[in-house]
């Protein structure tokens, strides 16, 4: 990761440095002719940042690049000779100062001092100060093929985390060399994205705008050959609201599901929970639902390249339902219409009125009672049928979003032939 910075330093440093070191080697003092090579085993580097220090990534790269340069100058150009270094210490120090100061000035830094201590482990101490404007933060923005509020929401946490990481690594970096800062931002950002497995299905393009408050735009394009979401299915469910009340909800949910089409399957799978949370949170603001105090629940599954969403909306205040059916095994009561209306009196309890109408016989069975509900998963009701003069019990258990068990039974034995038990799969 640090090879880029090292290469930049070496390209600018090594040409004049090598020439100066070669001159020393070609014209060594008499005492250096007999020096034994290899008496310097390593070169240590200590950098003191005066006043302010650049971001951890830049500081590490500058340290690494200078260390490589010193290694080449002392161990290779001077033959690792401690005696030769001591004999030419002043000239070598001056050459290193000029070369390092030239490169650091270009980067918005200044070499304040340099001190070389020849030894078996030769130590070089540098004091470097910062000059000019410095990078304070990096704001990262993600761009998808279809930019929507949903995609912005589900990627917000990742975007903020990448911004914070880049700001920590690069804050304090001088911005006097925009091209260099731009390369640093791009490199660090690509490294950050490579660590996020949920984005592995994207090709990542980065546009960096270096400044004190730098910006980076990350364009995410599905990688060629990567499986993407091709179709989506939406199923709206409610036991307390009418289908006509959910028309706007259906349009909203469908539009958001459309924005998932064409995205890598791996990304959508990784973001199932944020997708559901966004849909649940935003749906309750639909104007037509405000009076009902809606509570939404979403369950999203990815099957192959298909996305299937079961979306449930329940009212916290009221209960409305209407249904019709034809019973072919009961000719005398072949058609049946059911209507219910209820008001919530406790968090899980309501009072309700119900009517069952048989058009063929033109018969109406009015009922009233109390019901108990557990979210959208189950309910139990006890009421009185005024036409049949009997108590009535109803219950339903949702085993799965599309599969439930139901029962309706009269308390009078003489009406047991009217009891009903059902298994329903939608």
């Amino acid at each position: 990761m640090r090879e880029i910075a090292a290469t930049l330093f070496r390209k600018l440093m090594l040409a004049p440095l090598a020439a100066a070191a070669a001159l020393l080697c070609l014209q060594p003092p008499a005492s250096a002719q007999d020096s034994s090579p290899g008496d310097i085993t390593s070169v240590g580097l200590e950098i003191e940042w005066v006043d302010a220090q650049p971001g951890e990534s830049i500081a590490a790269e500058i340290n690494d690049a200078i260390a490589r340069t010193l290694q080449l100058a002392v161990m290779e150009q001077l033959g690792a000779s401690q005696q030769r270094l001591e004999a030419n210490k002043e000239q070598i120090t001056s050459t290193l100062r000029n070369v390092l100061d030239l490169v650091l000035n270009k980067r918005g830094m200044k070499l304040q001092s340099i001190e070389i201590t020849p030894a078996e482990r030769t130590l070089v101490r540098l004091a470097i100060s910062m000059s000019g404007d410095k990078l304070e933060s990096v704001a990262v923005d993600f761009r998808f093929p279809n930019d929507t509020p949903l995609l912005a929401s589900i990627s917000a946490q990742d975007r903020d985390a990448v911004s914070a990481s880049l700001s920590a690594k690069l804050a304090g970096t001088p911005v006097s060399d925009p091209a260099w800062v731009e390369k640093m931002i791009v490199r660090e950002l690509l490294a950050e994205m490579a660590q996020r497995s949920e984005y592995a299905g994207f090709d990542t393009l980065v546009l960096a705008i270096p400044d004190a408050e730098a910006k980076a735009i990350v364009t995410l394009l599905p990688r060629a050959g990567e499986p993407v979401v091709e179709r989506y299915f939406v199923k709206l469910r409610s036991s307390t609201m009418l289908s006509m009340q959910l028309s706007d909800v259906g349009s909203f949910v469908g539009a958001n599901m459309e924005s998932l089409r064409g995205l890598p399957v791996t990304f959508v799978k990784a973001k199932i929970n944020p997708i559901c949370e966004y849909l649940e949170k935003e749906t309750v603001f639909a104007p037509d639902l405000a009076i009902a105090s809606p509570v939404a629940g979403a369950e999203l599954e990815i099957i192959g390249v298909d996305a299937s969403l079961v979306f449930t909306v329940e009212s916290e205040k009221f209960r409305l339902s209407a249904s019709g059916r034809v019973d072919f095994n009961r000719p005398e009561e072949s058609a049946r219409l059911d209507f219910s209306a209820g008001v919530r009196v406790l968090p899980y309890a309501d009072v309700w009125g119900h009517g069952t109408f048989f058009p063929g016989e033109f018969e109406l069975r009015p009922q009233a009672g109390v019901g108990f509900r557990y979210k959208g998963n189950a309910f139990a009701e006890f009421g009185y049928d005024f036409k049949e003069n009997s108590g009535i019990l109803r219950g339903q258990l949702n085993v799965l979003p599309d599969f439930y068990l139901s029962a309706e039974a009269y308390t009078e034995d003489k009406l047991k032939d009217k009891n009903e038990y059902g298994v329903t799969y939608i």
Side-chain angles (χ1 to χ4, degrees):
M1 185 179 291
R2 297 175 182 166
E3 292 296 326
I4 296 177
T7 301
L8 290 172
F9 269 93
R10 296 212 315 258
K11 283 182 179 179
L12 293 170
M13 290 181 185
L14 296 189
L17 184 58
L23 181 62
L24 295 175
C25 294
L26 290 173
Q27 299 176 347
S31 59
Q33 297 286 354
D34 300 325
S35 63
S36 55
D39 54 352
I40 297 178
T41 59
S42 62
V43 180
L45 173 63
E46 293 181 1
I47 296 180
E48 176 189 356
W49 294 97
V50 181
D51 298 330
Q53 180 173 337
E56 58 186 54
S57 180
I58 299 301
E61 292 193 3
I62 291 173
N63 186 91
D64 186 58
I66 294 177
R68 289 171 180 266
T69 302
L70 295 175
Q71 180 77 11
L72 177 62
V74 175
M75 302 301 290
E76 297 184 26
Q77 297 294 338
L78 292 178
S81 171
Q82 181 178 340
Q83 185 176 356
R84 188 173 299 172
L85 176 58
E86 289 175 342
N88 300 278
K89 177 181 174 182
E90 184 176 343
Q91 187 176 356
I92 293 172
T93 300
S94 177
T95 301
L96 283 171
R97 173 188 289 276
N98 292 336
V99 173
L100 291 174
D101 202 34
L102 175 67
V103 179
L104 291 172
N105 276 332
K106 186 176 184 341
R107 300 286 182 257
M109 292 167 270
K110 184 173 181 57
L111 181 62
Q112 297 288 357
S113 65
I114 177 172
E115 178 185 349
I116 302 177
T117 305
E120 183 176 348
R121 183 181 185 277
T122 295
L123 181 62
V124 180
R125 293 186 178 90
L126 303 177
I128 302 175
S129 62
M130 313 280 276
S131 61
D133 294 334
K134 301 174 184 63
L135 188 149
E136 298 176 3
S137 63
V138 181
V140 178
D141 188 21
F142 287 176
R143 299 288 175 83
F144 294 89
N146 295 316
D147 281 322
T148 64
L150 169 64
L151 297 182
S153 175
I154 65 176
S155 62
Q157 188 173 357
D158 301 324
R159 185 176 64 243
D160 293 343
V162 172
S163 297
S165 178
L166 262 64
S167 296
K169 292 179 179 178
L170 301 176
T173 302
V175 294
S176 55
D177 187 351
W180 179 59
V181 177
E182 179 182 354
K183 289 180 180 179
M184 296 300 103
I185 293 174
V186 171
R187 191 210 60 209
E188 291 293 341
L189 214 162
L190 289 175
E192 281 283 337
M193 297 303 294
Q195 295 176 10
R196 297 181 176 275
S197 58
E198 62 267 44
Y199 293 90
F202 290 102
D203 283 326
T204 305
L205 305 177
V206 179
L207 172 64
I209 305 173
D211 203 344
E213 295 182 352
K215 297 180 176 60
I217 299 173
V218 181
T219 301
L220 298 164
L221 300 174
R223 186 165 295 160
E226 184 74 17
V228 299
V229 174
E230 296 180 1
R231 300 183 301 176
Y232 66 89
F233 304 91
V234 177
K235 304 173 185 177
L236 293 178
R237 299 284 182 266
S238 181
S239 62
T240 58
M241 304 180 72
L242 301 177
S243 296
M244 66 181 66
Q245 294 177 276
L246 303 181
S247 58
D248 287 344
V249 173
S251 300
F252 170 80
V253 173
N256 280 281
M257 291 296 290
E258 177 66 27
S259 67
L260 300 180
R261 288 211 307 159
L263 295 180
V265 169
T266 52
F267 174 75
V268 178
K269 280 186 175 180
K271 297 298 182 181
I272 282 179
N273 288 338
I275 290 171
C276 292
E277 289 171 4
Y278 175 85
L279 295 177
E280 293 168 358
K281 178 181 67 176
E282 295 298 322
T283 298
V284 298
F285 293 109
D288 293 346
L289 301 184
I291 192 174
S293 299
V295 176
E299 294 187 31
L300 177 62
E301 292 187 17
I302 306 300
I303 305 170
V305 293
D306 294 336
S308 177
L309 177 72
V310 177
F311 200 76
T312 304
V313 184
E314 302 293 354
S315 171
E316 285 193 318
K317 288 186 177 180
F318 307 110
R319 176 160 69 89
L320 295 173
S321 67
S323 63
R325 78 187 199 202
V326 175
D327 296 327
F328 294 101
N329 63 332
R330 292 183 179 179
E332 71 282 2
E333 298 175 352
S334 59
R336 169 175 170 169
L337 302 176
D338 288 272
F339 307 90
S340 292
V343 178
R344 186 71 54 88
V345 292
L346 292 173
Y348 295 107
D350 55 49
V351 294
W352 52 266
H354 181 88
T356 300
F357 179 62
F358 298 95
E361 300 294 326
F362 208 77
E363 177 185 348
L364 176 64
R365 296 176 184 172
Q367 302 169 358
V370 295
F372 302 91
R373 297 176 176 273
Y374 179 72
K375 299 181 179 179
N377 300 323
F379 72 80
E381 297 178 342
F382 176 76
Y384 189 80
D385 188 317
F386 297 96
K387 175 65 169 60
E388 300 293 346
N389 295 318
S390 171
I392 187 170
L393 300 172
R394 286 195 191 88
Q396 179 174 305
L397 174 64
N398 290 24
V399 181
L400 295 172
D402 291 325
F403 179 73
Y404 60 86
L405 309 177
S406 61
E408 178 179 293
Y410 285 91
T411 57
E412 295 289 336
D413 289 341
K414 64 181 180 180
L415 301 174
K416 63 181 180 180
D417 61 325
K418 297 182 182 295
N419 294 345
E420 296 185 350
Y421 305 94
V423 177
T424 304
Y425 176 73
I426 304 175

